[in-house]
Amino acid sequence: MNNTTFNFLENKTKVYLVLVLLPTLIYFKSLFFDFSPMDDQWMIVKNADIFSDLKNIKTFFTKPLAGLYYRPLLSLSFMLDFQIGKINPFIYHFSNLVYHLISIILLYKLFLKLKVNIKTSFFLSLIFAVHPVLLHAVAWIPGRNDVLLTVFALSSILYLINYLNERKNHQLFLHLLLFTCAIFTKENAIILPVFFIGLIYYFKQPKKTFLLIITSWIIIVVGWYLLRCLAVKSTLTFGPDILDSIKKFVMGVLLFFGKSIIPAQQSIFPTLKNSSIVFGIIALVIIAFAFFKIGLKNKTLAILGLVLFFSMIAIPVWYGATGSSGEHYEHRVYLPLIGILLFISQLNFNQNSSIFIYGSLLIVFIFSMKTFTRLNIYKNESTFTDNGIKEAPDYYFFYAIKGDKFLEQGNYRASIPYYNSAIKMQPTRPQLYSSRGYAFTEIGKMKEAVSDFSKAIEYSKNNYDMYLNRCLAYTKFGDVEMAIQDLSFLKKNAPQIIPDGLEKELFDHWHTIMFQKISNQIIAEPKNATLYIRRAKLFITKNNLQEALTDVKHACELEPNNPTFKTYLNQITSRIK
């Protein structure tokens, strides 16, 4: 077995073929998956107009993605996909897989560059290729951000190593260029120089070299930061309670560390509430035991691996620890996982032993099967949402999406329990009230519908669309006076959103109701002249002058000395003539 393995690994073509073929077989069915109901919608689907015109490339560098993120190269990658396949999810999934395959090959090359044993390099690269925790980065299209970051980061590291070994200027240039690409792909790349410095130390470079390169990194980071400041106003915060944020940060790091070693309790939307740090603690014990039991081959490389893990996971975990949702997406561990694998590569295993070889193959097999079976979660909106509810029961979004789906299907009663759950978790989110209000409207529950639309108005700070929704609900339920109040508000503040014909419809309803009301009053008070005048005015609004004339004459007969009534009589008579 050892000789066969060695002979196989000596053939680079076969090695690369296996490293590419296995993950391709696992992820192949993902090429035919749909967009998810999450970030795919506002990152890709709703940006079709922007991606359709190549002239908009410059906007990626001047405007944030969804008003939050400064990730120009991610947007550019989506634009390239759009130019090929428009809004066809196949091309986006295909690109994700290609970027993943590139990362695998680059990782294998990095291990060899760092003189990691060839068997260890192969098996660790294979484990990376099929690792279940990376599924979210490959199968979920927006997870591409971390895959693309890894492609640029690994390429930059490889060229840095080449430069440190060979001192060719074009290698330094490519290193700096790829580092620039990494930083314009995702923010946490600004910490990569920490790992770069470790590499310079590892390769025992003179101070002159260090100063030249670090100056270049500083120029790149400062340039990126200035451009980002012009485009994005958001920054990392310490949260309302710094001690609580630090606690959540530590727990978040343990969460990612645990999933990197033991990929259990996976979730589409993991948080500290729906996940456990127990596996992180177990993983730490396993690593500590291996360290003290079998030792390390190269402590510097092992430490560099830990530096890469903690430096690359720090910003994403802090963001999740201080964010309102507390999410710790699994795609964020894509690049940091390489640091853990680098550490593991330095454990003093006997790579020629059957235990090492068969144990590695067993891990690859188990990880492959788990990734392949879990992949179906990302198939379409329905599977994604259902598993979201199952795996993240504390997150409102999946309940809202499920409610929206029932609403689209016209199953209004089925949608309401999901909106109830979502509102319980997010009691101040206006769209949830608006959607549930629409469902209540369609099943005829006026009180509940109006209450929801009113709350939507309150929580959205007078969103005009919410006023329109309530106006339409009042109209449907026949409360014309309240509908007209909302309509009057809209005519004054947002006339452009009033649907054609709504004002006429309300006026006709109002006229019918008022006519019936006054007619009933006349029956009850046949000698009340004022009532006849009121009904006459209604007739005039409909241009029914003969009927108006009859009512005014009747009013004059009841009060022959009323000068106002006589004026009305003369005006109508002159109009008829």
Side-chain angles (χ1 to χ4, degrees), residues 8-19:
F8 165 76
L9 293 175
E10 283 295 296
N11 190 320
K12 289 185 179 181
T13 302
K14 291 182 179 179
V15 169
Y16 291 145
L17 187 62
V18 172
L19 290 176

Side-chain angles (χ1 to χ4, degrees), residues 279-335:
F279 295 102
I281 297 172
I282 294 174
L284 279 176
V285 171
I286 292 173
I287 292 296
F289 176 79
F291 170 73
F292 289 109
K293 184 70 176 177
I294 63 178
L296 296 172
K297 297 175 184 176
N298 189 310
K299 289 184 179 180
T300 304
L301 272 183
I303 292 172
L304 270 178
L306 295 180
V307 167
L308 183 61
F309 172 78
F310 287 108
S311 62
M312 288 298 98
I313 206 67
I315 291 179
V317 172
W318 186 262
Y319 182 84
T322 57
S324 59
S325 300
E327 75 279 6
H328 292 293
Y329 288 117
E330 290 171 1
H331 66 271
R332 294 173 179 171
V333 80
Y334 193 94
L335 178 55

Side-chain angles (χ1 to χ4, degrees), residues 13 46 85 148 166 173 183 200 250 260 262 271 310 328 343 356 371 418-419 460 473 485 488 492 553 556:
T13 302
K46 293 182 179 178
L148 203 57
E166 302 173 16
F173 172 79
I183 205 173
I200 293 174
V250 173
S260 299
I262 309 169
T271 64
F310 287 108
H328 292 293
F343 177 87
F356 175 81
T371 298
Y418 289 98
Y419 288 131
S460 64
Q485 284 187 25
S488 299
K492 183 178 180 180
K553 285 181 177 180
C556 289

Side-chain angles (χ1 to χ4, degrees), residues 137 176 428:
L176 296 174
T428 61

Side-chain angles (χ1 to χ4, degrees), residues 476-526:
K476 181 166 184 174
F477 292 120
D479 193 340
V480 178
E481 291 185 10
M482 295 303 296
I484 289 176
Q485 284 187 25
D486 280 344
L487 182 66
S488 299
F489 176 84
L490 290 172
K491 285 180 67 177
K492 183 178 180 180
N493 296 281
Q496 70 279 3
I497 72 170
I498 299 175
D500 293 338
L502 178 60
E503 186 172 6
K504 183 179 183 304
E505 179 185 354
L506 280 177
F507 178 77
D508 289 342
H509 274 305
W510 176 82
H511 185 277
T512 301
I513 291 170
M514 292 303 297
F515 181 83
Q516 188 61 49
K517 180 179 179 180
I518 294 173
S519 295
N520 290 336
Q521 288 177 334
I522 288 174
I523 293 172
E525 302 178 60

Side-chain angles (χ1 to χ4, degrees), residues 148-182:
L148 203 57
L149 167 65
T150 301
V151 169
F152 291 129
L154 289 179
S155 300
S156 179
I157 291 169
L158 286 169
Y159 276 109
L160 176 60
I161 293 173
N162 288 342
Y163 175 73
L164 296 176
N165 287 329
E166 302 173 16
R167 295 304 184 87
K168 294 181 179 178
N169 290 334
H170 78 275
Q171 294 168 341
L172 175 59
F173 172 79
L174 289 172
H175 158 69
L176 296 174
L177 175 63
L178 289 162
F179 170 55
T180 303
C181 290

